[in-house]
Amino acid sequence: MGQGSSCPFRDRGGIGIDDGKACGGPRFRGNPREMTTHTASQTYLSTRGGSYGKHFEEVVLKGLASDGGLFIPEEIPKLPLNWATNWQHLSFAELAYEVLSLYISPTEIPSADLKDILRRSYSTFRTPDVTPLVTLSEQDNLHLLELFCGPTFAFKDVALQFLGNLFEYFLVRRNRGKTGSDRHHLTVIGATSGDTGSAAIYGLRGKKDVSVFILHPQGRVSPIQEAQMTTVLDPNVHNLAVNGTFDDCQDMVKALFTDPDINKTHKLGAVNSINWARILAQITYYFHSYFSLINSPQWKIPAAKIRFVVPTGNFGDVLAGFYAKQMGLPIDKLVVATNENDILDRFWKTGYYQKHAVHGKAAEGGIVEDGVKAHEKGVKETLSPAMDILVSSNFERLLWYLAFQVHGTGSVPDRRKTAGERVQMWLNDLKSDGGFGVASGVLDAAKIDFESERVSDQQTVDTIRDFYHHAMPIASSSSNGLQSEKSAGFAKGYVLDPHSAIGVAASLRSIRRAPPPDTHHISLATAHPAKFANAVDLALRDEPGFGFDTILPEPFVGIEKLERKVRVVEMAWGLEGVRAIIREEVTRELETRQ
């Protein structure tokens, strides 16, 4: 386990193959006498075939490709020789540098600068481990990766603290020596069901030459999430409460990115997981948790396998694991864990990626106070609202790799072209017919790396209750409010938030297929339980001694009483209304700064 190749090309069924003009070093573009210093893994293309040869800075600042596609590296790099030995005892920030530098040319961000960006990004976390690993069951080899130790207590902090500093770095460099209207000003736009918004705001608040607009569905995010966003009063932060649904917010953001009117006057940037930097930053914690596990006393069989189980809606978090696996991290399987909005699970079970809208009584569920999102488009309300989606925006990236592998023929440029065309065809069918089916070869290729599970609300509640009763975690540091921050008064086990509980429930099923001692499972915990207090209370309210004040983090105490800044947007205003608000607020912001 653990030795990579010095050549970054991959040929495992064709995924990530380059054109052979470079092997870990510089490559030629255009005039062969003009050698650039970007490897194929540091150069990007669009999943829909309309953009090639893009560099990291442009990809990060644009977010979405001009053809509506998502950016991916032209090649997935292989790990360097001796990576397993050389990286084994690195800190999180040091490990992030080793991983990210494979995707970012030092001609764009010099090594010292990238190290400084990463150091500052992760200095805001509440534990030196950044993403600590907890053993929930030594008997089952079941471990929990706590991803909620950042400023907003959600896994998205890992990426968005980095992305905020990245935006600032690029803008400071672009604006050196410039004044007034000559300065490059970035208008960041995002849609959120809760966690993305607060994490983006905390990553971008106070950043120079950046305005951030976060659209959230009014009354459909949890009170804590809403307060985290709207109590940030920095002049460059703008919260828009849309009188609609999360899908309405997301559709509005996509429309703005393709709107020629706003793009003529404003440089737009993305913070949703469509931005490649979000996926890239998340790759690190797969490596970090791998090393945490093999360095722990629980690692007793050197040849044991590791499975990662990921609760997901938009597919970004588990996609980062796919990149880690393709790079060479020894992952046996990635288990996709969905709630009752199960388009991903149904794809892996049937080969059909089909919207499954539900309405009326069938759509009801979840808890309003935790941010449910049922609506006319047919999303099912659940106890895990951050995963309540009809379609998964990042799934497009995996589809490209599958199309490249299965349908691509001829040269690498031809295979890339075919992959882009196939993705576009599938997405056209999704838009016109509500879904599409893939060839058996595509589904077989998808099953090489992935399995899937669907977890109901009742199973979520049962899992929260069971692990509160029985789990006695083993960890050097833990941040869910029981093991390290506020342990007084608890004689019980671990408190899971509903999204993390979905991952653990799916892990228990995977354990039956791949049991100990030969396999370890790492389940990703995506949010602190206090962020979804009502769902947790539903599971534990009758448990003796349980009280939410015992695990409520200090930053949440009294947050609902703080001053707020938010602007309500009516759906009837349409794209024109949101566009006008953005122009008005950015103009006011810039005039104030002059």
Side-chain angles (χ1 to χ4, degrees):
M1 290 174 80
Q3 295 305 313
S5 165
S6 59
C7 176
F9 301 148
R10 295 197 53 75
D11 196 6
R12 204 211 65 161
I15 290 181
I17 295 178
D18 191 53
D19 54 10
K21 294 180 182 177
C23 190
R27 62 187 293 183
F28 292 96
R29 291 193 174 280
N31 185 340
R33 295 183 181 180
E34 297 177 359
M35 187 175 70
T36 70
T37 53
H38 286 71
T39 65
S41 65
Q42 296 166 344
T43 313
Y44 296 86
L45 57 82
S46 167
T47 51
R48 302 187 191 181
S51 297
Y52 293 91
K54 301 298 182 182
H55 289 174
F56 183 71
E57 180 174 352
E58 181 181 359
V59 164
V60 170
L61 292 179
K62 283 190 69 172
L64 192 68
S66 56
D67 61 359
L70 307 183
F71 289 113
I72 57 174
E74 292 190 356
E75 171 198 312
I76 300 175
K78 276 288 257 182
L79 296 172
L81 289 173
N82 302 317
W83 69 273
T85 302
N86 294 341
W87 295 2
Q88 186 170 359
H89 300 291
L90 297 181
S91 69
F92 190 94
E94 291 168 340
L95 186 56
Y97 169 77
E98 297 295 339
V99 172
L100 271 59
S101 61
L102 297 175
Y103 293 90
I104 304 170
S105 170
T107 62
E108 292 195 72
I109 305 180
S111 295
D113 291 354
L114 181 56
K115 289 177 180 178
D116 180 63
I117 290 171
L118 292 165
R119 179 192 58 77
R120 288 187 287 111
S121 298
Y122 300 122
S123 66
T124 61
F125 282 63
R126 299 185 305 281
T127 170
D129 288 347
V130 180
T131 58
L133 191 69
V134 176
T135 297
L136 286 183
S137 172
E138 194 167 14
Q139 178 181 342
D140 290 331
N141 282 349
L142 174 58
H143 316 277
L144 194 71
L145 182 59
E146 294 187 327
L147 300 176
F148 48 78
C149 299
T152 71
F153 296 81
F155 81 97
K156 295 172 183 179
D157 287 324
V158 176
L160 286 165
Q161 286 291 302
F162 169 66
L163 184 58
N165 286 321
L166 206 55
F167 280 150
E168 184 177 52
Y169 176 84
F170 288 142
L171 292 172
V172 166
R173 185 166 65 188
R174 288 188 174 204
N175 289 328
R176 193 169 291 129
K178 296 180 180 179
T179 58
S181 61
D182 291 334
R183 295 183 68 83
H184 186 110
H185 187 89
L186 187 66
T187 302
V188 173
I189 303 172
T192 186
S193 57
D195 282 341
T196 295
S198 56
I201 286 168
Y202 277 68
L204 292 168
R205 62 186 303 181
K207 300 294 186 187
K208 195 171 185 179
D209 295 310
V210 180
S211 299
V212 55
F213 291 82
I214 298 298
L215 286 69
H216 72 268
Q218 186 180 25
R220 292 190 177 273
V221 298
S222 75
I224 283 180
Q225 291 172 322
E226 182 179 358
Q228 281 186 305
M229 293 187 289
T230 59
T231 58
V232 176
L233 306 180
D234 296 65
N236 72 321
V237 172
H238 309 279
N239 282 285
L240 304 183
V242 178
N243 186 15
T245 69
F246 171 65
D247 281 357
D248 292 328
C249 296
Q250 201 164 38
D251 289 346
M252 192 73 71
V253 169
K254 290 178 181 178
L256 286 164
F257 275 102
T258 56
D259 174 38
D261 193 331
I262 192 71
N263 280 278
K264 285 178 185 176
T265 56
H266 291 67
K267 298 176 179 67
L268 303 186
V271 289
N272 288 81
S273 56
I274 59 173
N275 194 307
W276 164 248
R278 286 274 306 271
I279 307 299
L280 178 59
Q282 292 173 171
I283 296 173
T284 301
Y285 52 67
Y286 285 88
F287 283 89
H288 189 260
S289 59
Y290 166 78
F291 287 122
S292 295
L293 178 56
I294 69 169
N295 290 334
S296 74
Q298 284 70 48
W299 186 255
K300 298 171 183 176
I301 301 177
K305 298 176 181 179
I306 301 176
R307 290 182 165 213
F308 284 87
V309 186
V310 188
T312 189
N314 269 325
F315 201 72
D317 206 0
V318 72
L319 183 70
F322 169 78
Y323 280 103
K325 189 175 191 297
Q326 294 299 312
M327 290 170 69
L329 187 66
I331 299 173
D332 177 53
K333 289 286 184 182
L334 294 157
V335 181
V336 175
T338 77
N339 63 17
E340 293 172 58
N341 294 289
D342 57 355
I343 188 171
L344 292 170
D345 180 60
R346 285 183 283 112
F347 172 80
W348 263 278
K349 297 292 196 297
T350 68
Y352 286 88
Y353 190 75
Q354 190 81 30
K355 294 180 183 178
H356 183 196
V358 291
H359 303 279
K361 285 289 184 182
E364 294 178 0
I367 299 174
V368 172
E369 291 80 7
D370 276 353
V372 295
K373 295 189 288 294
H375 54 81
E376 68 279 2
K377 293 185 180 179
V379 169
K380 173 76 169 71
E381 294 179 342
T382 76
L383 296 175
S384 46
M387 294 161 57
D388 288 350
I389 50 87
L390 272 183
V391 296
S392 300
S393 58
N394 272 291
F395 191 58
E396 179 175 338
R397 285 182 161 115
L398 179 65
L399 286 173
W400 188 94
Y401 289 106
L402 296 173
F404 180 92
Q405 177 181 350
V406 176
H407 293 292
T409 58
S411 66
V412 169
D414 287 342
R415 296 175 73 185
R416 289 175 177 163
K417 183 174 182 291
T418 298
E421 291 171 345
R422 180 69 60 159
V423 168
Q424 187 67 67
M425 181 191 76
W426 283 331
L427 295 177
N428 287 342
D429 289 345
L430 179 65
K431 185 174 182 179
S432 62
D433 303 330
F436 58 86
V438 299
S440 59
V442 174
L443 182 59
D444 290 343
K447 288 181 176 180
I448 292 173
D449 296 313
F450 295 92
E451 292 179 358
S452 71
E453 294 289 348
R454 174 188 186 273
V455 178
S456 69
D457 272 356
Q458 186 58 56
Q459 291 162 342
T460 300
V461 169
D462 292 343
T463 303
I464 294 172
R465 188 178 295 124
D466 289 346
F467 277 80
Y468 177 72
H469 280 176
H470 303 302
M472 296 303 294
I474 303 170
S476 57
S477 61
S478 172
S479 304
N480 80 334
L482 298 186
Q483 281 68 54
S484 63
E485 292 182 3
K486 295 183 178 181
S487 58
F490 271 85
K492 296 289 187 179
Y494 197 97
V495 177
L496 296 161
D497 96 284
H499 306 80
S500 306
I502 287 173
V504 171
S507 297
L508 296 176
R509 299 177 195 171
S510 179
I511 287 170
R512 293 198 291 267
R513 296 190 295 271
D518 297 325
T519 305
H520 287 258
H521 283 74
I522 297 177
S523 188
L524 274 56
T526 56
H528 192 284
K531 299 202 76 168
F532 300 93
N534 295 282
V536 175
D537 185 63
L538 177 66
L540 301 181
R541 64 175 58 147
D542 296 327
E543 299 301 321
F546 175 76
F548 236 98
D549 56 341
T550 315
I551 64 167
L552 190 67
E554 189 64 34
F556 290 177
V557 177
I559 191 172
E560 73 281 357
K561 299 177 183 178
L562 298 178
E563 181 184 353
R564 303 194 181 203
K565 186 177 78 168
V566 61
R567 190 163 177 174
V568 175
V569 176
E570 297 294 336
M571 279 299 299
W573 299 351
L575 176 63
E576 295 78 11
V578 176
R579 183 200 299 141
I581 290 172
I582 291 172
R583 283 186 168 139
E584 174 191 336
E585 295 290 357
V586 171
T587 299
R588 181 184 296 115
E589 191 180 327
L590 294 177
E591 288 174 348
T592 302
R593 289 181 180 179
Q594 290 177 357

